[in-house]
Amino acid sequence: MKKLLLTILLGVITLHPWMAAAETRPAENAKTDKIHSKKPKIETPQQAPQTVKVGIYLNDVQNIDVHANNYLLDFYLWFKWQDPELDPSTSFEFMNHSESWGTIMNKPTEKPETLPDGSQYQVVHVQGRMSEKMDLRAYPFDHQNLVILIEDSAKDISGLTYQIEEVTVNPTLKIPGFEFHKPKFESAAYTYPTRFGDTRMQEAGSYSRITFKLPVYRNALTSFVKNIMPIWLAVICAIFSLMLHPRLIDSRFQIAIFSILSLVALQICNGNDLPALQYMNLMDALYVVAYVYLILLMAELIVATKWIESENPADHERAKRLDSRFGYICTTLFFAVNFYLIFVTFA
């Protein structure tokens, strides 16, 4: 019996460390799992946006319609990029299209070509009408910009960015009625002030936008001869009435009236070349000054006629002095105001 009890006691003493180890191991494993659960998750870095190089060659400006605020352009647009799964030549869009249904776009190849450096390449020949609101306050000395705005319709700035490569203009380009300066080509981010009702968007979308500008202007000398000189000639003809003797009443009034009628006809013809404007331009201001001068001239002729019909010789002399003073003072003021308005326009 003693031997049996001794055997059982020795067995319990032998198994006790193993039982303690078995009880301790789950606690240690739980602690280790808890520690691992606190480690931050490794996030995949965000992919950089694709860079697309863009170039443009302006071949021709076929028409500038001031009434409709648009212009017909013929140009070549090319794209270069690296990702073969991307094709920006199919996803770009014009943001200032005037008549999208009439735009013709042709590609020399259906699929992009691969250049020796491994980049993808595609050219698009575009013939289309673009729109830009024209500011005619300085007409006929106004400067306008023929603008082309391009964005990608599929990817925002986080997925695609445009990079300027080259901009050239046909060296034989001629624009009837206009001359042009060196074109401008720039790329910048454009942020829309709306999420377009998409509640999934955290903020308003930003897109890479290409802006092409061709500054055009009218020849200053030609504009002066065709638009301003006729006004001055009508006024100068009216001034000739002051050189006649005050007794030639009919001749003096006929010259003044014909000058006014000529001025009205000139303004009507000039207005046909421009759209309906909600503001006054330089030509309107010059016509107003000319009308004021001719109205004052008519008033002067009436006063001088009353004095010359008087039997008092002193009134005859007063009529002659009035003609002389009006001719010098008012005519000088007329041309001074004209030069001031033109100077302010150029400034």
Side-chain angles (χ1 to χ4, degrees):
M1 188 65 180
K2 290 182 178 179
K3 291 182 179 180
L4 179 60
L5 293 175
L6 183 60
T7 302
I8 294 172
L9 180 61
L10 291 174
V12 171
I13 294 173
T14 304
L15 293 174
H16 181 268
W18 293 96
M19 294 175 63
E23 292 178 356
T24 306
R25 190 176 296 109
E28 292 177 352
N29 290 341
K31 183 177 180 181
T32 304
D33 293 341
K34 191 174 182 181
I35 292 174
H36 284 302
S37 66
K38 287 184 177 181
K39 290 183 178 181
K41 296 181 180 180
I42 300 176
E43 298 182 355
T44 304
Q46 187 177 3
Q47 188 176 4
Q50 295 288 336
T51 300
V52 178
K53 296 182 180 180
V54 183
I56 190 170
Y57 171 75
L58 181 62
N59 183 50
D60 192 17
V61 178
Q62 298 174 354
N63 181 35
I64 299 178
D65 191 343
V66 179
H67 288 83
N69 291 288
N70 58 36
Y71 35 90
L72 184 60
L73 303 179
D74 181 349
F75 59 96
Y76 289 84
L77 191 68
W78 65 86
F79 302 88
K80 291 181 182 178
W81 68 98
Q82 296 296 328
D83 189 357
E85 297 182 358
L86 180 70
D87 190 355
S89 66
T90 60
S91 59
F92 79 95
E93 62 178 336
F94 297 110
M95 308 308 299
N96 62 327
H97 240 159
S98 178
E99 298 174 357
S100 58
W101 53 268
T103 300
I104 301 175
M105 291 191 292
N106 297 315
K107 298 179 181 179
T109 58
E110 183 178 355
K111 295 183 178 180
E113 298 178 295
T114 302
L115 299 179
D117 61 356
S119 60
Q120 304 297 306
Y121 172 74
Q122 183 62 282
V123 180
V124 184
H125 184 196
V126 182
Q127 292 175 300
R129 191 171 292 275
M130 306 298 164
S131 176
E132 178 71 6
K133 300 299 184 295
M134 299 183 184
D135 189 349
L136 298 171
R137 288 181 173 85
Y139 177 85
F141 304 117
D142 56 311
H143 288 66
Q144 308 296 339
N145 288 311
L146 305 186
V147 181
I148 303 174
L149 300 177
I150 302 173
E151 285 184 11
D152 192 87
S153 61
K155 296 181 179 292
D156 59 12
I157 199 170
S158 63
L160 183 147
T161 57
Y162 287 127
Q163 181 179 338
I164 302 301
E165 183 180 58
E166 182 184 0
V167 54
T168 52
V169 176
N170 185 353
T172 62
L173 175 63
K174 294 182 179 179
I175 308 176
F178 291 90
E179 299 180 9
F180 60 91
H181 293 297
K182 184 178 179 181
K184 302 176 182 178
F185 202 28
E186 57 186 16
S187 175
Y190 180 81
T191 302
Y192 286 91
T194 177
R195 293 183 296 174
F196 300 99
D198 191 347
T199 56
R200 297 170 298 178
M201 298 176 63
Q202 299 294 328
E203 56 185 10
S206 295
Y207 291 80
S208 182
R209 171 176 287 190
I210 288 288
T211 303
F212 169 85
K213 292 182 180 180
L214 180 68
V216 297
Y217 61 96
R218 308 172 201 270
N219 183 273
L221 179 59
T222 304
S223 298
F224 173 79
V225 172
K226 290 185 176 181
N227 297 275
I228 299 178
M229 183 174 288
I231 299 177
W232 288 8
L233 291 177
V235 172
I236 291 173
C237 289
I239 296 173
F240 289 157
S241 64
L242 299 175
M243 299 180 181
L244 298 177
H245 195 279
R247 292 187 180 277
L248 302 175
I249 299 174
D250 292 341
S251 299
R252 283 156 60 96
F253 275 96
Q254 286 176 2
I255 294 175
I257 291 173
F258 286 150
S259 297
I260 294 176
L261 294 177
S262 300
L263 199 63
V264 172
L266 287 172
Q267 187 176 22
I268 293 175
C269 294
N270 182 264
N272 293 332
D273 297 334
L274 299 175
L277 303 176
Q278 302 301 320
Y279 52 84
M280 289 183 59
N281 57 19
L282 174 61
M283 290 301 299
D284 295 329
L286 295 179
Y287 277 113
V288 169
V289 175
Y291 283 131
V292 171
Y293 177 85
L294 293 179
I295 290 173
L296 293 176
L297 176 62
M298 291 292 293
E300 191 276 339
L301 293 178
I302 293 173
V303 173
T305 300
K306 289 184 177 181
W307 286 347
I308 205 66
E309 291 178 347
S310 174
E311 297 180 356
N312 187 357
D315 291 337
H316 297 180
E317 295 299 324
R318 292 173 61 190
K320 293 180 181 179
R321 287 197 301 269
L322 180 62
D323 286 347
S324 178
R325 291 176 181 176
F326 183 92
Y328 286 114
I329 298 175
C330 291
T331 303
T332 302
L333 288 175
F334 168 78
F335 285 105
V337 172
N338 275 256
F339 283 119
Y340 171 76
L341 292 174
I342 296 173
F343 174 78
V344 170
T345 299
F346 278 101

